[in-house]
Amino acid sequence: MLKLRWDNTVGAARLQKTAEGALDEDDGLETMVLLSLFTDAEATPEELAAAGLVEQRGWWAEAAQLREPDRPRLGSKLWLLAREKTRVQTLKRAELYCLEALAWLKTVGIAAAIEVLASVPRSGWLGLEITITKPGQLKSKW
């Protein structure tokens, strides 16, 4: 898979290049977490209505016709929070959406435990501290 690294200056993940200028590859946990959190998961009609949205989002490759039935779903519903005010309930929903999006890491044995703490580092921002404990290893924190 192509290597991604989060860039706080633009608020998005960026593809990484090798020293020679080619796209870098990565089988690491950071890229898997970024793809899981920042790929849009499809929302239910009730979730759309609660968020005051009408347009569905989601990654095209998650369509039932394309996705292998035994493959875990990819993506999160963090996009539903874009218009939300930063309240305690919004932070709790962000934590829940992250845990749901990362649950597949536990299912396939990449992670033994996942912890998420949402915060507001400054006005208009959502901060996510994610701690992943690998099986038989120490915690990795982002």
Side-chain angles (χ1 to χ4, degrees):
M1 113 178 30
L2 295 176
K3 185 174 186 174
L4 296 172
R5 173 105 349 114
W6 187 259
D7 183 346
N8 274 334
T9 61
V10 295
R14 293 194 180 264
L15 289 168
Q16 299 300 296
K17 293 183 180 180
T18 64
E20 296 80 29
L23 289 175
D24 203 358
E25 292 184 23
D26 177 31
D27 290 327
L29 193 54
E30 183 176 6
T31 297
M32 287 187 262
V33 169
L34 289 171
L35 285 173
S36 296
L37 294 179
F38 299 110
T39 298
D40 295 343
E42 187 175 346
T44 65
E46 295 80 20
E47 290 168 326
L48 285 173
L53 301 170
V54 292
E55 189 173 320
Q56 181 65 265
R57 286 171 51 175
W59 188 39
W60 63 267
E62 287 298 314
Q65 306 89 322
L66 300 175
R67 192 173 70 76
E68 297 171 24
D70 59 338
R71 185 178 58 78
R73 286 196 169 276
L74 183 64
S76 79
K77 296 179 182 177
L78 286 170
W79 64 273
L80 291 170
L81 303 177
R83 296 173 30 172
E84 295 282 333
K85 293 182 180 179
T86 46
R87 299 179 176 145
V88 173
Q89 65 196 56
T90 305
L91 297 178
K92 294 299 177 194
R93 282 181 48 214
E95 291 171 357
L96 176 65
Y97 291 158
C98 289
L99 288 171
E100 288 175 351
L102 298 172
W104 72 272
L105 294 171
K106 289 173 66 175
T107 302
V108 300
I110 294 172
I114 301 169
E115 300 167 28
V116 179
L117 179 62
S119 64
V120 183
R122 67 182 189 188
S123 181
W125 285 38
L126 172 66
L128 297 170
E129 183 177 311
I130 300 168
T131 305
I132 297 175
T133 305
K134 296 179 184 178
Q137 295 186 7
L138 300 175
K139 295 179 179 182
S140 298
K141 192 177 274 191
W142 288 276

